[in-house]
Amino acid sequence: MMESVLSPLWISLSTVFTATIITFFTGIAVARWMARYEGKLRNFIDGILILPLVLPPTVVGLGLLMLFGKYGPIGQLLLLFGTTVVFSWPATVITATVVSFPLMYMNARGAFEQVDVSVENAARTLGASEWRTFWSVTLPLAWPGVAAGAVMAFARAIGEFGATLMLAGYIPGRTATIPVTIYFAVQDGEMNQALVLVVIVLIIVFISLSALAYFKSKSYKVITV
Amino acid sequence: MQSKFTSCISIGLLLIVLLCVGCSASAVTVNVSAAASLTDVITEINALYQKENPNVTVIANYAGSGTLQQQIENGAPADVFISASPKQIDALQSKNLIVEDTRKDLLCNKVVLIVPGDSTLEIKSFNDLTGDSVKKVSIGDPDSVPAGQYARDILNQFDIMETLKPKLVLASNVRQVLQYVESSNVDAGIVFLTDAKISKSVKVVADAPDDINQKVLYPVAVINTGKDTTAALAYETFLFSDQAAAIFDKYGFTVIKPKTSK
C-alpha cells in the first residue's frame, strides 16, 4: 500500500517541479518578449502559445505523440542520438510542461503589460542595461502576477492526465503519475489506493491555491521599492 | 422579466423530457458492452442484427473488460456483456448483476506475442523479451485487462515477469497494446491472435503455451437491469446463430457450442 501511493506521489512531484521550473523561465522569457511585441503576428503567436490550454488534453497528447513518436520529426531526431522519450519519465515532464505553459505565459504577460513603461525608461536613462532594468525594475513590479502564473501552472501540471497517458503510458514506478494511477486503480477496483491518492491531490492543490491567494493579496501597488 | 425567464426554462425542460420519453418509446434498445478486442466483429454482427430486426436498436460500448465491469457495477446501461475473460463476469455474478442461466461461454481465442512489422530486433520467443535490445514491451494492465491477465500468466510461466517489469507499458485495453506496437513505440506486445489479425503492420512471432490458450474464453451474459430482458435474450441467442458464427469465424474467433457455463 505504501509503495503504491508513494511511488506515484514521487513521480508526480518530480515531474511537476521539473515542469514548473521549465515553464517558469520559458514563460517569463516569452511573456516578456510578447508584452512588448507589436508586430502583425501578435494575435496569431498569442493564439498558438495559449492553444494547449484550450485544446482537449487528448489532442495535445496525440499531437505530442506524433511529434515525439518513433516516426515523428522530433522522435526521428532523438533516434539519431539513440534515445526515445515516448513511454519514459521525460515524457511526463514534456506533457506537464506543454499543458501548463499557457497559464504561466498568460499571467506573466498580463503582469508585464501592467508595468509602466516610463518606470522602465527611467531606469534606462539612469544608465541601467536592459538586463538590469528587467531584473531590478520590471520583474519585481510584475512579481505577484508572475508568481501567480507559476502556482497556476503547477496546479495544472499536477492534474495532467490525458496527454500524459498518451505520451508517457502507464509504467508503474516510472511514468505512473498520481492522476494516471488513480485512473487505473479505479479500473482495477482498488478503491482504497485511489481514494488515498485523491486526498493527496486535494492537499497539494489546496496548498497551491493558498499560495495563489497569498500572491494575489500582495497586489501590484504594494511594491513601491 | 423574471417570469418570462422562468417560463423559458420550464418549456426547455419540458422539451428535454419529451425528447427523452420519445427516444425510449420509439424502439426496443439493447445496450451491448463488449470487450475492446471484439470491436470490429461485434460492430459487423450488430449491423446484421439490426438489418434483420429493424425494430431493435443495438447500442454497443467497447472498452477494456475491467472498465466495462466497473461501468456495469455503477449502473451504466448495459443489457448484454461480452467479456474477454470469465473474471469480470464472475465478479458481476457474485454481485447478482447477471440474469440466472444466461451466462455462456461464447468464443475462444489465442494469445500471441507481436512485434512491429518492420522490427529489426530478433524477437522470436517470449524469452527473447529479456534481451537488452528490447526496451519497451506493452501488455494490458493485468488487474483489469484480460489480455494482460493472460500476458502475466505467460510471463510468470517463463519466469521473466520480474525481469521485464521495468520495461512493461501497461495499457487500459488490448487495442491500445496493438496501437503501441503498430506505431513502433514499443518493441513488442502481447495481444489476442484476433487483434494481431486486423493489423497489417504487426507480425506474430510466438504463440502462448497451450495450457494458457485453453483458458482464453469469452463469456457472455445478460445483465440484470430490472427491465424486461426479452430483447437482450434474443440478442444473446443470435450471437450463437450460424450467421453470427460465420462473422466471428471471419475475424478468427471460434464459437463454442452453446452450453450454460457454471
Side-chain angles (χ1 to χ4, degrees), chain A residues 76-177:
Chain A
Q76 292 271 315
L77 197 69
L78 287 169
L79 266 186
L80 293 179
F81 298 99
T83 181
T84 53
V85 295
V86 177
F87 302 141
S88 66
W89 180 76
T92 65
V93 178
I94 291 171
T95 48
T97 306
V98 169
V99 298
S100 63
F101 176 84
L103 284 167
M104 181 68 215
Y105 160 73
M106 284 163 66
N107 280 281
R109 197 195 64 188
F112 288 140
E113 280 170 354
Q114 303 266 317
V115 175
D116 194 340
V117 186
S118 60
V119 183
E120 290 178 316
N121 286 341
R124 291 189 186 108
T125 58
L126 293 171
S129 65
E130 278 302 313
W131 190 246
R132 180 139 185 237
T133 309
F134 176 73
W135 285 106
S136 312
V137 179
T138 318
L139 191 59
L141 284 173
W143 182 248
V146 170
V151 173
M152 287 169 81
F154 178 89
R156 174 66 186 84
I158 199 126
E160 172 45 32
F161 168 72
T164 305
L165 190 55
M166 287 183 102
L167 193 68
Y170 175 58
I171 310 180
R174 301 220 162 185
T175 69
T177 60

Side-chain angles (χ1 to χ4, degrees), chain A residues 65 68-71 84 86-88 165-166 168-172 174 183-191, chain B residues 66-67 70 118 136 141 143-145 165-172 176 179-180 182-187:
Chain A
L65 195 59
F68 286 93
K70 213 163 191 174
Y71 300 117
T84 53
V86 177
F87 302 141
S88 66
L165 190 55
M166 287 183 102
Y170 175 58
I171 310 180
R174 301 220 162 185
Y183 173 71
F184 276 89
V186 172
Q187 280 200 344
D188 302 349
E190 301 279 348
M191 280 304 177
Chain B
T67 310
Q70 292 289 332
D118 58 358
K136 293 277 185 293
D141 174 19
D143 292 319
S144 64
V145 182
K165 239 175 194 164
K167 297 182 183 180
L168 291 180
V169 182
L170 305 185
S172 65
Q176 209 174 354
Q179 197 278 324
Y180 288 165
E182 278 181 327
S183 61
S184 281
N185 285 322
V186 298
D187 302 312

Side-chain angles (χ1 to χ4, degrees), chain A:
Chain A
M1 187 66 189
M2 269 317 252
E3 175 64 23
S4 64
V5 169
L6 288 182
S7 157
L9 176 65
W10 167 244
I11 293 167
S12 264
L13 287 182
S14 55
T15 297
V16 171
F17 275 106
T18 316
T20 310
I21 290 168
I22 299 171
T23 38
F24 183 73
F25 289 105
T26 52
I28 286 180
V30 175
R32 164 70 208 180
W33 181 72
M34 281 296 287
R36 298 286 180 258
Y37 175 73
E38 302 281 344
K40 270 184 193 161
L41 292 173
R42 185 184 161 87
N43 286 337
F44 176 73
I45 298 174
D46 198 48
I48 298 282
L49 292 171
I50 294 172
L51 211 54
L53 181 70
V54 290
L55 283 177
T58 43
V59 175
V60 175
L62 183 59
L64 289 172
L65 195 59
M66 286 163 80
L67 275 179
F68 286 93
K70 213 163 191 174
Y71 300 117
I74 302 177
Q76 292 271 315
L77 197 69
L78 287 169
L79 266 186
L80 293 179
F81 298 99
T83 181
T84 53
V85 295
V86 177
F87 302 141
S88 66
W89 180 76
T92 65
V93 178
I94 291 171
T95 48
T97 306
V98 169
V99 298
S100 63
F101 176 84
L103 284 167
M104 181 68 215
Y105 160 73
M106 284 163 66
N107 280 281
R109 197 195 64 188
F112 288 140
E113 280 170 354
Q114 303 266 317
V115 175
D116 194 340
V117 186
S118 60
V119 183
E120 290 178 316
N121 286 341
R124 291 189 186 108
T125 58
L126 293 171
S129 65
E130 278 302 313
W131 190 246
R132 180 139 185 237
T133 309
F134 176 73
W135 285 106
S136 312
V137 179
T138 318
L139 191 59
L141 284 173
W143 182 248
V146 170
V151 173
M152 287 169 81
F154 178 89
R156 174 66 186 84
I158 199 126
E160 172 45 32
F161 168 72
T164 305
L165 190 55
M166 287 183 102
L167 193 68
Y170 175 58
I171 310 180
R174 301 220 162 185
T175 69
T177 60
I178 293 178
V180 174
T181 309
I182 291 175
Y183 173 71
F184 276 89
V186 172
Q187 280 200 344
D188 302 349
E190 301 279 348
M191 280 304 177
N192 287 337
Q193 188 196 0
L195 289 174
V196 171
L197 288 169
V198 166
V199 171
I200 290 174
V201 170
L202 286 174
I203 293 171
I204 296 172
V205 171
F206 182 75
I207 292 172
S208 39
L209 287 180
S210 308
L212 185 65
Y214 170 76
F215 285 120
K216 281 212 165 142
S217 69
K218 290 183 76 177
S219 81
Y220 167 67
K221 289 177 298 268
V222 181
I223 304 173
T224 48
V225 189

Side-chain angles (χ1 to χ4, degrees), chain B residues 45-149:
Chain B
I45 285 178
N46 286 351
L48 177 68
Y49 189 72
Q50 281 192 282
K51 215 165 89 186
E52 302 210 334
N53 303 277
N55 60 326
V56 181
T57 310
V58 183
I59 299 171
N61 169 30
Y62 305 103
S65 301
T67 310
L68 295 171
Q69 177 206 328
Q70 292 289 332
Q71 289 173 346
I72 293 169
E73 283 177 7
N74 287 297
D79 301 307
V80 178
F81 178 31
I82 315 173
S83 170
S85 140
K87 183 185 158 192
Q88 286 74 23
I89 299 227
D90 288 342
L92 293 179
Q93 207 161 21
S94 70
K95 293 186 177 166
N96 285 326
L97 284 165
I98 283 173
V99 178
E100 230 171 291
D101 296 334
T102 59
R103 178 192 172 145
K104 288 162 187 152
D105 287 330
L106 176 63
L107 305 166
C108 53
N109 201 345
K110 271 185 181 176
V111 179
V112 294
L113 177 66
I114 56 169
V115 297
D118 58 358
S119 173
T120 51
L121 302 170
E122 293 281 309
I123 303 173
K124 296 208 169 65
S125 71
F126 288 98
N127 276 321
D128 290 341
L129 295 176
T130 54
D132 287 338
S133 57
V134 182
K135 303 281 187 238
K136 293 277 185 293
V137 177
S138 184
I139 65 171
D141 174 19
D143 292 319
S144 64
V145 182
Q149 196 183 311

